[in-house]
């Protein structure tokens, strides 16, 4: 009986600690030295809601050339306010075993 009580106590402490660790990783982006994977990709549903069509892109190698660069002056940029509608709220949460990513609310 004493062994079962001690084992159950350690299991409860482990589960509470793991939940707190995962919550900490969700809030801060900490990967816990590789134990928790952070995924920053938007879900396909959100991309389609935004009107973004997704297609597979073939990768190619483009040669680079040196281009002469110029200095850019800092000018004051005007600001404008805009209205938004149909806002989809995303939050960080569990999407797999020890994997954190965006979850739609």
């Amino acid at each position: 009986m004493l062994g079962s009580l001690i084992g159950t106590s350690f299991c409860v402490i482990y589960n509470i600690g793991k939940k707190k660790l995962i919550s900490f990783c969700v809030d801060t982006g900490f990967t816990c030295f590789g134990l928790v994977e952070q995924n920053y990709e938007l879900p396909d549903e959100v991309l389609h809601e935004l009107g973004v069509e997704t297609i597979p892109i073939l990768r190619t190698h483009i040669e680079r050339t040196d281009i002469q660069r110029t200095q850019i002056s800092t000018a004051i940029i005007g600001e404008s306010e805009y209205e938004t509608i149909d806002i989809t709220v995303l939050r960080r949460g569990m999407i797999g075993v020890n994997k954190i990513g965006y979850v739609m609310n």
Side-chain angles (χ1 to χ4, degrees), residues 14 17-26 29-39 92 94-101:
Y14 170 76
K18 185 174 180 179
K19 288 180 183 178
K20 295 293 181 187
L21 175 68
I22 295 295
S23 296
F24 176 73
C25 291
V26 167
F30 180 60
T31 61
C32 194
F33 309 108
L35 293 177
V36 178
E37 181 181 342
Q38 296 282 347
N39 184 357
R92 304 280 292 155
M94 293 291 294
I95 60 172
V97 177
N98 288 347
K99 187 171 184 180
I100 298 170

Side-chain angles (χ1 to χ4, degrees), residues 30-102:
F30 180 60
T31 61
C32 194
F33 309 108
L35 293 177
V36 178
E37 181 181 342
Q38 296 282 347
N39 184 357
Y40 292 98
E41 295 177 10
L42 290 176
D44 287 335
E45 296 84 18
V46 174
L47 292 174
H48 291 297
E49 243 182 66
L50 293 172
V52 177
E53 295 181 14
T54 57
I55 58 172
I57 299 174
L58 300 174
R59 302 289 179 183
T60 184
H61 177 71
I62 300 173
E63 295 181 21
R64 296 181 178 221
T65 60
D66 291 327
I67 299 174
Q68 184 179 10
R69 299 181 187 259
T70 60
Q71 295 294 331
I72 300 173
S73 64
T74 56
I76 298 175
I77 300 173
E79 295 180 4
S80 61
E81 294 184 16
Y82 57 92
E83 295 181 23
T84 60
I85 56 173
D86 294 332
I87 297 174
T88 300
V89 179
L90 295 176
R91 68 174 177 83
R92 304 280 292 155
M94 293 291 294
I95 60 172
V97 177
N98 288 347
K99 187 171 184 180
I100 298 170
Y102 286 109

